Amino acid sequence: MRQRNDTGAAWHFAGTPATDDQPEQPPYSVAPGDTADYPQLLDGWTAVTENPAPAKARGRKAADDEGGELS
């Protein structure tokens, strides 16, 4: 499951040996705001979809507020 570290600290994961199904995984760290693959959703992390929906435009352009043109 792809997920984003929404905690305030880096998480450190130990390395794992190779198995019949998975290759060896070296130790790694995930900084706040970064994403990683992990089988279970971790506490304080947010699941990330592979194809996020496009963000909707919010608000108006600054020129609309002031009645002027963008330079």
Side-chain angles (χ1 to χ4, degrees), residues 6-35:
D6 287 332
T7 68
W11 280 50
H12 308 284
F13 295 89
T16 57
T19 64
D20 291 336
D21 300 336
Q22 298 291 324
E24 178 181 6
Q25 175 69 48
Y28 63 99
S29 297
V30 181
D34 286 347
T35 60

Side-chain angles (χ1 to χ4, degrees), residues 8-63:
W11 280 50
H12 308 284
F13 295 89
T16 57
T19 64
D20 291 336
D21 300 336
Q22 298 291 324
E24 178 181 6
Q25 175 69 48
Y28 63 99
S29 297
V30 181
D34 286 347
T35 60
D37 287 315
Y38 199 76
Q40 296 88 18
L41 183 59
L42 300 169
D43 190 30
W45 292 53
T46 303
V48 177
T49 59
E50 294 299 323
N51 296 318
K56 293 183 179 179
R58 295 175 52 186
R60 298 181 293 172
K61 293 181 183 176

